[in-house]
Amino acid sequence: MRGLNNRVAIITGGLGDLGYASGVRLVEEGCQVVLFDRLPDDEGKAPKIGAACFRVDIGDEAEVEKACAAAQDRLGPASILVNCAACFIFKSIDATAADWEKICRVNIAGASLMAKHVVPRMKKLGGGSIINVSSVSGFVGQANFATYNATKFAIRGLTKCWAKDLAPFGIRVNTICPGYIHTAAFVKSCQALGKDIEEENQRAAAMHLLNRQGRPEEVAAVVAFLAGDDSSFMTGSDVIVDGGYLAQ
Ligand SMILES: NC(=O)c1ccc[n+]([C@@H]2O[C@H](COP(=O)([O-])OP(=O)(O)OC[C@H]3O[C@@H](n4cnc5c(N)ncnc54)[C@H](O)[C@@H]3O)[C@@H](O)[C@H]2O)c1
């Protein structure tokens, strides 16, 4: 009863772990999925699940406009937008103007540019669902995470404002806030910092009441819920998927 069959969904950061898991789930639910990512799909992830893929930097409005038009030409107008792409810069008061420009351009302006070019088509369809991906980092302070956390707080603000702006058009806007999810990026960052993966895994697990990190599919399941009609009376909400991280 999700009502997702044949709906077109655009997912930014679609080749990343959470974006791709969301794509897999939405395909399973019957959606036609389009993955947007700044990286090329060298591993053929999109064709593996029958999705389309466009290479686009969401911080560049000309690229966003072109890719949204191309996606519509290929599959028709999207009624679902998942703003999942993110730039990860973890700095505190040492952040430079260039750091701020880079992270805000993708994590805040990029999400907004996507909405700008997807929403007119949603309006013509008579409704839709936008899901902005924030984080537990959009609720609390974390040491040396100021740049990233500021953008994750900001995207919750975008959700609240857009929910007001777009409700008259039948477009719902919600935020999903994952806790720590076990991803390839997590493993890679441990390796890059020369940290023991198992130790880091346990440290991250201990931050959650459920004493483990989440799995990408557990976030994707909630994306599917927010995309479809099961969440028809939800807009402007923060949906926390964090194994109890914030409950403590
Ligand atoms: N992994 C976690 O533990 C976790 C926890 C909470 C929230 N999140 C959020 O979930 C989302 C996805 O995270 P992930 O762990 O899958 O990361 P990831 O690095 O695997 O995926 C991010 C994707 O975004 C793409 N991207 C980056 N900049 C882009 C740009 N300018 N234009 C288009 N694509 C761009 C990257 O190429 C990458 O494929 C992010 O918004 C992140 O903040 C992740």
Side-chain angles (χ1 to χ4, degrees), residues 2-9 26 30-33 77-80 128-129 172 227-229:
R2 287 193 199 278
L4 287 170
N5 208 27
N6 281 325
R7 289 199 193 165
V8 176
L26 290 179
C31 287
Q32 300 191 61
V33 168
S79 63
I80 298 162
S129 173
R172 300 182 297 107
D229 296 342

Side-chain angles (χ1 to χ4, degrees), residues 142-164:
Q142 291 165 308
N144 297 314
F145 266 48
T147 39
Y148 178 73
N149 286 31
T151 65
K152 292 293 153 181
F153 273 79
I155 202 157
R156 293 179 51 226
L158 294 183
T159 292
K160 307 271 182 213
C161 295
W162 295 352
K164 280 200 161 186

Side-chain angles (χ1 to χ4, degrees), residues 172-240:
R172 300 182 297 107
V173 191
N174 292 289
T175 310
I176 186 164
C177 308
Y180 285 56
I181 309 299
H182 193 78
T183 59
F186 172 81
V187 172
K188 239 191 263 168
S189 75
C190 292
Q191 285 166 340
L193 296 168
K195 292 188 172 166
D196 180 79
I197 293 169
E198 200 34 51
E199 260 175 38
E200 285 305 299
N201 200 11
Q202 279 173 19
R203 201 178 60 81
M207 296 174 187
H208 304 76
L209 290 182
L210 296 181
N211 198 31
R212 65 174 175 85
Q213 292 188 68
R215 296 186 293 273
E217 315 84 79
E218 292 175 307
V219 176
V222 182
V223 167
F225 167 69
L226 289 173
D229 296 342
D230 284 345
S231 60
S232 52
F233 198 50
M234 291 178 67
T235 195
S237 290
D238 294 309
V239 180
I240 296 165

Side-chain angles (χ1 to χ4, degrees), residues 13 16-18 37-38 56-58 84 86 133-134 148 152 178-179 181:
D17 286 306
L18 300 197
D37 207 287
R38 88 188 150 84
V56 46
D57 173 357
I58 60 160
C84 193
V133 181
S134 175
Y148 178 73
K152 292 293 153 181
I181 309 299

Side-chain angles (χ1 to χ4, degrees), residues 11-21 36-40 45 54-60 63-64 83-88 90 102 105-107 110 114 132-138 148 151-152 155 176-186 188 208 213-214 216 219 241:
I11 305 172
T12 71
L15 296 178
D17 286 306
L18 300 197
Y20 189 66
F36 278 13
D37 207 287
R38 88 188 150 84
L39 298 176
K45 288 169 97 172
F54 292 93
R55 194 169 176 190
V56 46
D57 173 357
I58 60 160
D60 180 322
E63 286 192 23
V64 169
N83 271 321
C84 193
C87 165
F88 299 91
F90 300 112
K102 197 170 168 194
R105 193 178 68 86
V106 178
N107 296 12
M114 283 300 305
N132 287 327
V133 181
S134 175
S135 167
V136 291
S137 303
Y148 178 73
T151 65
K152 292 293 153 181
I155 202 157
I176 186 164
C177 308
Y180 285 56
I181 309 299
H182 193 78
T183 59
F186 172 81
K188 239 191 263 168
H208 304 76
Q213 292 188 68
V219 176
V241 187

Side-chain angles (χ1 to χ4, degrees), residues 108-126:
I108 306 173
S112 184
L113 293 173
M114 283 300 305
K116 179 177 178 185
H117 290 281
V118 169
V119 161
R121 297 174 172 96
M122 277 186 186
K123 284 183 179 171
K124 283 192 191 147
L125 287 173

